[in-house]
Amino acid sequence: MKAIAVRPGIPDSAHLVEMPKPSVNDIDGGRGVLVKVLRVGVDGTDKEINNAEYGAPPPGDDLLVIGHEGFGIVEETGPNVWELKKGDLVVATVRRPGTSIYDVIGTNDMTTDDTYYERGINLRHGFLSEYYVDDADYIVKVPDGLREVGVLLEPMTVVQKGITQAYEIQRRLRVWRPRRAAVLGAGTIGLLATLVLRLRGIEVVTFGRTAKPYMNSDLVEAIGAAYVSTAETGVAAYAEANGAFDIIFEATGYSPIAFEAMEALAKNGVLVLSSVTGGDKRVEVPADKINLDLVLGNRVIVGTVNANREYFESGVKDMAHAVLEYGDWLSRLLTHPVKGLENVAELFEKLTTAKGAIKVFCEVSA
Ligand code: BGC
Ligand code: ZN
């Protein structure tokens, strides 16, 4: 079968490869699920992997099949799989368990191991291939009604985890009624965070670099959130003028804004940081003031990465809710399809240069 792989360590090495088709018997205990891949989304992580800044092949291999935002259809199941059947639409989780206590209880996203295993990213092949096989424990069913937008589930889980973690943390307050939220970044993750916070009935201001109007600001406004360009007003200045935020979700990829966000947080507020920033940027910050406000206002800052099965399941529910509430809004995020694995060059060209791209994805099979 065909797949797209990189040679980790070598920049711009994404290319088409031929490899054996996997089988349900590759998985122990009769729990194998063979999935025919329909669509795979790509994101900044894939860009970094193809730039050789990130990512590692499975042990003993020098190629890594990329792609971690998979969406497919079950082709065959092993004898001990009862929860899925041929024809089900599915998405696989990304991280596989290590050895820490968090992995043992199924929360691989919270691993304390130094080595983590992520399909399409680190030490495990991904989903940009005609087929993949995995244990049913890692495969989540998507209802047929979400067929058009199912490829957005994996990025949605990153948002689900961050926001759920914020609510979990805020149980410390006995009562928490967040009213005002800020989302920093208006890319796929920022837009999905805007959506999820709106579905929770919260007022949302989404900050992006580009001046409005453009597609992303239209999408923000279409679900009743406000869009502010940081070229005009930074998040701290905005909060100073209009009131601070109970929850801030950071998804810009630009680490200095995290410190500015700390200054835009209301008393008892929570700041969720989700950008994976591999660089070495340094900034000067008003340390005493930030520290003082965090302390005197009982404020919280939390980092979040990856997502376990629980967040794939809640993501499906929010996507279904979004379709009922906002119609085709989710499908408007699917701006740049690329047909076929063989068009790997076009896939990366769109990912790196396409103007107005929100989600670039490969249509592996119809
Ligand atoms: C993926 C996550 C992953 C993270 C770090 C993100 O792009 O969506 O699943 O944990 O990268 O590798
Ligand atoms: Zn990702």
Side-chain angles (χ1 to χ4, degrees):
M1 67 166 187
K2 292 193 285 278
I4 296 177
V6 297
R7 219 170 266 284
I10 302 188
D12 212 10
S13 64
H15 63 291
L16 196 67
V17 294
E18 192 56 48
M19 53 194 297
K21 180 177 170 183
S23 139
V24 284
N25 303 318
D26 298 349
I27 304 294
D28 290 340
R31 294 280 292 155
V33 178
L34 179 68
V35 176
K36 182 179 184 205
V37 177
L38 298 175
R39 290 172 164 187
V40 179
V42 288
D43 72 357
T45 300
D46 300 295
K47 216 186 284 184
E48 287 185 8
I49 294 172
N50 195 37
N51 284 343
E53 292 162 21
Y54 198 57
D61 222 323
D62 53 3
L63 292 180
L64 170 73
V65 174
I66 57 173
H68 60 278
E69 301 178 4
F71 175 67
I73 186 163
V74 173
E75 174 131 318
E76 192 187 338
T77 55
N80 294 327
V81 177
W82 60 88
E83 62 273 65
L84 293 166
K85 60 179 191 313
K86 184 175 162 71
D88 283 348
L89 297 174
V90 289
V91 172
T93 64
V94 176
R95 198 175 281 188
R96 295 294 167 267
T99 59
S100 84
I101 183 99
Y102 306 102
D103 299 89
V104 172
I105 65 161
T107 56
N108 317 328
D109 59 316
M110 294 304 238
T111 193
T112 50
D113 292 351
D114 292 329
T115 306
Y116 55 89
Y117 304 91
E118 289 182 343
R119 292 203 64 164
I121 302 175
N122 215 37
L123 305 167
R124 293 287 181 267
H125 286 317
F127 309 125
L128 266 169
S129 52
E130 290 178 87
Y131 296 89
Y132 69 84
V133 73
D134 214 328
D135 194 301
D137 287 2
Y138 308 123
I139 298 188
V140 179
K141 187 174 170 340
V142 174
D144 287 347
L146 293 179
R147 191 186 184 105
E148 267 322 293
V149 291
V151 71
L152 292 169
L153 180 55
E154 195 280 338
M156 176 57 131
T157 66
V158 170
V159 171
Q160 292 288 318
K161 177 181 174 183
I163 293 175
T164 304
Q165 293 275 305
Y167 275 82
E168 284 289 306
I169 288 165
Q170 296 298 57
R171 286 160 64 147
R172 71 193 173 123
L173 296 169
R174 308 296 190 272
V175 55
W176 189 49
R177 294 186 184 147
R179 241 193 80 186
R180 288 168 48 73
V183 173
L184 309 183
T188 306
I189 298 288
L191 290 169
L192 291 172
T194 304
L195 171 70
V196 171
L197 291 162
R198 288 297 302 133
L199 291 174
R200 304 280 181 282
I202 299 172
E203 287 171 30
V204 184
V205 183
T206 301
F207 293 81
R209 247 181 329 195
T210 310
K212 72 175 202 180
Y214 71 121
M215 197 192 327
N216 306 44
S217 68
D218 289 348
L219 283 162
V220 165
E221 291 171 355
I223 54 176
Y227 179 87
V228 171
S229 164
T230 51
E232 281 152 32
T233 320
V235 58
Y238 185 92
E240 177 91 56
N242 302 284
F245 296 102
D246 302 310
I247 176 167
I248 303 180
F249 194 105
E250 196 290 313
T252 61
Y254 179 67
S255 56
I257 208 169
F259 299 92
E260 200 191 324
M262 292 173 198
E263 299 187 73
L265 212 49
K267 289 200 181 83
N268 291 353
V270 53
L271 167 59
V272 181
L273 303 177
S274 78
S275 294
V276 179
T277 52
D280 54 7
K281 253 179 224 84
R282 305 176 69 91
V283 285
E284 207 169 281
V285 297
D288 273 341
K289 174 158 194 309
I290 288 175
N291 181 72
L292 183 71
D293 288 347
L294 289 174
V295 169
L296 296 183
N298 292 296
R299 294 166 170 90
V300 179
I301 302 165
V302 60
T304 182
V305 69
N306 194 248
N308 66 47
R309 186 178 181 103
E310 166 192 350
Y311 305 117
F312 281 74
E313 290 171 353
S314 67
V316 165
K317 289 182 188 158
D318 267 357
M319 286 172 73
H321 185 179
V323 170
L324 294 175
E325 188 90 34
Y326 299 122
D328 70 348
W329 190 90
L330 278 170
S331 63
R332 291 169 63 196
L333 271 51
L334 298 172
T335 51
H336 287 64
V338 173
K339 266 211 163 55
L341 291 165
E342 54 286 353
N343 288 318
V344 43
E346 185 190 342
L347 186 67
F348 275 94
E349 194 205 283
K350 289 204 163 131
L351 178 62
T352 48
T353 62
K355 265 212 148 34
I358 297 177
K359 178 50 68 187
V360 179
F361 62 101
C362 182
E363 291 188 310
V364 177
S365 170

